[in-house]
Amino acid sequence: MAVAIAPPEQPGWFHLVGIHLRKDLRIEWRSREAIHSMIFFALLVVVLFSMAFDPTAAASREIAGGVLCVATLFASVSALNQAWSREIRHDVLDALRMTPADRSAIFVAKVLANFFFVTVVQALLAPVFFIFYNLRPLGNGWLLLAIVPLGTWALVANGTFFAALSIRSRNRELLLPLILFPIFLPALLAMVLAVKTILTGDGSDPHLLWLKMLAGYDIIFMTVSLLLFDTVLHAE
Amino acid sequence: MKKLWIGLGMVAVAALMLWGFHQAIDVAPTEATMGDVQRIFYYHVPNAMLSFLFFAVSFVASILFLAWRNTAPARAQAADAWALASAEVGVVFCSVVLITGPLWARPVWGIWWTWDARLTTTLLLWLIYVSYLLLRRFVEGAQMQTLAAVVSVFGALDVPIVYMANRWWRTQHPAPVFGGGPDSGIKDPTMLAAFGWNVLAWAVWGLMLLAFRVHVERRNQQIQLKASKAALAGR
């Protein structure tokens, strides 16, 4: 009598994202390598810029948006590099590639985990930032709660994608910023200008064009990343 | 015999470029407000047009590589050679644009550089394609072609976004000379002729460069294929 063996049940996509996300968060929770290095690095960038320019209150409103974005950008590169190089140890990446599950779940979970790390760093850094630069937003301060996460998402989504891409090169730590920075430029531009408009309160952007552009950038690049991630993971 | 024709072709291209130079420097009249510095326009604009063309070729070739990579490997290799060669030639043309632009801007605008729509887009294109070429050196093996094609797709996505962003932001670059409204277009026929000759000369020179580069890259691919086949055969 033939016994029909039911195939093992495939977990759903969201369930898979949850599994990968929990794994990434747990690894980070145990070592805290990425978060510690990011916080200290970002703090150093903020202090360095503050010392180098010694800005007045008016000038610091002009440049603070840029400093915040660049500090986040530099700091997150180190964490993004670690995100995938962790998977290379013990050939975890190859194991992941062999699973029948949807690869986009791996990517989305990594993006979510990195987004969480960078957001934690920003939240811890924000008070320091406001103290060193003597900031008091003259525009709608609460809009920062939309702009900064959107900009961070653009950085982290692209960064995770290009980190997966540059992991295959000889000197991967060097290659990631070389590819990521040019591609990230439009989002940096939008983020810097949106933050500047709020801090200076000059009302130069009444229709929130920069915020919309940032959202559009996020949607376009996230879609393309999801479409091409499989190609990058299996590029042989 | 083939070498003779190639040599004659190179001489013809050189003669055409000299003729274009003569048209731009000696024949075309001096512009009324800007003076002689306007003549740089005969190099700047053709190079800009052609660099955008070469980058477009590279982008299309990258898409074709991604599409054919698994189904038609031989065709995909040809597409990859075109993508690499046109990215390299495009970077050369784009560099000429980025050098001639500030040379003109300094006397006319009084500044070397400004963050304006066209300037920013051109610089971004140059940066992206330089990083594309760097990636091709950093990564080894067959996966490099796929990864490079992916970067090329992302780079092409960036350009319209930056262009639109800067249009909203501020612009200082002169309005388009062609198709930029009812008052646009070159009125003087000798100026138009000088411009046309230079577009033609630079286009032919660029295409010649592209053809040579594709040829070299195809040879390179054949050599590598032979080497890997020999390695597989155990010799």
Side-chain angles (χ1 to χ4, degrees):
Chain A
M1 200 177 88
V3 180
I5 301 169
E9 204 178 314
Q10 282 279 330
W13 188 83
F14 286 100
H15 187 65
L16 269 175
V17 172
I19 295 173
H20 284 297
L21 183 59
R22 238 176 300 151
K23 180 209 74 180
D24 282 338
L25 291 180
R26 188 178 298 146
I27 294 177
E28 180 59 32
W29 179 250
R30 288 188 182 158
S31 69
R32 296 193 198 93
E33 277 172 13
I35 289 223
H36 281 172
S37 60
M38 260 200 290
I39 289 174
F40 194 60
F41 195 91
L43 181 72
L44 283 178
V45 173
V46 169
V47 171
L48 281 177
F49 272 85
S50 181
M51 277 167 81
F53 294 118
D54 192 17
T56 59
S60 64
R61 282 201 187 93
E62 293 275 333
I63 62 163
V67 175
L68 175 72
C69 300
V70 173
T72 317
L73 180 62
F74 285 172
S76 55
V77 165
S78 65
L80 290 165
N81 266 323
Q82 287 175 33
W84 291 104
S85 57
R86 252 173 208 168
E87 310 284 8
I88 289 199
R89 267 177 257 152
H90 310 298
D91 297 326
V92 180
L93 194 59
D94 287 332
L96 286 175
R97 279 158 59 175
M98 281 193 290
T99 56
D102 197 341
R103 307 309 186 297
S104 62
I106 305 173
F107 175 67
V108 173
K110 273 261 189 282
V111 174
L112 284 172
N114 283 321
F115 181 74
F116 176 71
F117 302 152
V118 176
T119 305
V120 167
V121 171
Q122 283 170 340
L124 289 174
L125 208 65
V128 181
F129 194 72
F130 274 77
I131 290 168
F132 274 155
Y133 288 83
N134 296 309
L135 285 179
R136 187 171 59 84
L138 299 176
N140 276 327
W142 57 268
L143 267 178
L144 285 175
L145 293 180
I147 292 164
V148 174
L150 279 176
T152 309
W153 185 269
L155 170 64
V156 165
N158 276 323
T160 310
F161 185 85
F162 288 112
L165 192 149
S166 56
I167 200 90
R168 287 135 191 291
S169 66
R170 265 168 290 150
N171 22 16
R172 54 179 85 106
E173 269 81 23
L174 186 61
L175 186 61
L176 173 63
L178 293 184
I179 305 175
L180 176 63
F181 290 180
I183 305 262
F184 179 65
L185 267 181
L188 180 80
L189 177 74
M191 193 177 168
V192 169
L193 288 172
V195 172
K196 191 180 126 188
T197 322
I198 288 171
L199 291 180
T200 55
D202 59 359
S204 61
D205 187 18
H207 303 294
L208 301 177
L209 267 179
W210 296 115
L211 188 67
K212 287 175 194 159
M213 179 183 150
L214 210 50
Y217 180 96
D218 279 358
I219 294 169
I220 295 171
F221 278 78
M222 192 64 194
T223 314
V224 179
S225 299
L226 283 173
L227 287 175
L228 287 175
F229 184 68
D230 213 38
T231 311
V232 167
L233 202 62
H234 292 278
E236 235 102 83
Chain B
M1 197 60 193
K2 197 178 162 194
K3 272 189 185 159
L4 179 72
W5 283 113
I6 292 174
L8 282 177
M10 284 165 73
V11 171
V13 171
L16 189 61
M17 292 195 74
L18 276 175
W19 175 247
F21 181 79
H22 168 68
Q23 289 282 326
I25 301 297
D26 304 325
V27 177
T30 309
E31 208 265 345
T33 49
M34 287 183 262
D36 272 337
V37 73
Q38 177 268 342
R39 290 180 198 277
I40 213 165
F41 158 89
Y42 300 117
Y43 297 100
H44 182 73
V45 181
N47 271 286
M49 287 162 62
L50 291 163
S51 73
F52 275 78
L53 175 75
F54 286 122
F55 288 144
V57 170
S58 178
F59 171 59
V60 172
S62 298
I63 297 263
L64 288 177
F65 173 81
L66 285 178
W68 287 337
R69 161 175 80 100
N70 292 328
T71 49
R75 261 190 292 172
Q77 288 302 317
D80 186 64
W82 279 91
L84 170 63
S86 46
E88 283 180 353
V89 179
V91 166
V92 171
F93 275 74
C94 201
S95 306
V96 174
V97 174
L98 288 172
I99 292 165
T100 53
L103 287 178
W104 173 87
R106 177 69 193 161
V108 176
W109 288 342
I111 43 171
W112 294 104
W113 183 266
T114 176
W115 293 104
D116 136 286
R118 255 158 277 216
L119 277 69
T120 313
T121 317
T122 312
L123 181 64
L124 183 81
L125 260 180
W126 189 86
L127 288 173
I128 286 173
Y129 277 93
V130 170
S131 79
Y132 168 88
L133 294 177
L134 275 175
L135 171 80
R136 294 195 68 117
R137 284 175 179 268
F138 272 34
V139 188
E140 279 162 352
Q143 59 179 0
M144 174 270 283
Q145 299 174 329
T146 312
L147 301 181
V150 169
V151 169
S152 171
V153 171
F154 270 83
L157 277 178
D158 253 11
V159 174
I161 298 179
V162 175
Y163 192 75
M164 290 320 293
N166 281 283
R167 291 226 127 173
W168 295 330
W169 190 12
R170 54 191 170 190
T171 200
Q172 184 158 21
H173 193 279
V177 174
F178 299 102
D183 205 29
S184 68
I186 299 178
K187 299 292 190 287
D188 189 305
T190 44
M191 277 188 177
L192 193 62
F195 178 72
W197 279 114
N198 273 296
V199 172
L200 183 70
W202 285 92
V204 175
W205 182 71
L207 289 174
M208 184 181 78
L209 218 58
L210 183 67
F212 281 148
R213 191 64 191 86
V214 170
H215 186 71
V216 169
E217 187 56 26
R218 294 293 282 163
R219 278 282 171 87
N220 205 358
Q221 287 174 351
Q222 284 165 8
I223 292 168
Q224 281 179 0
L225 189 70
K226 234 181 225 170
S228 55
K229 269 187 183 160
L232 276 177
R235 267 173 290 156

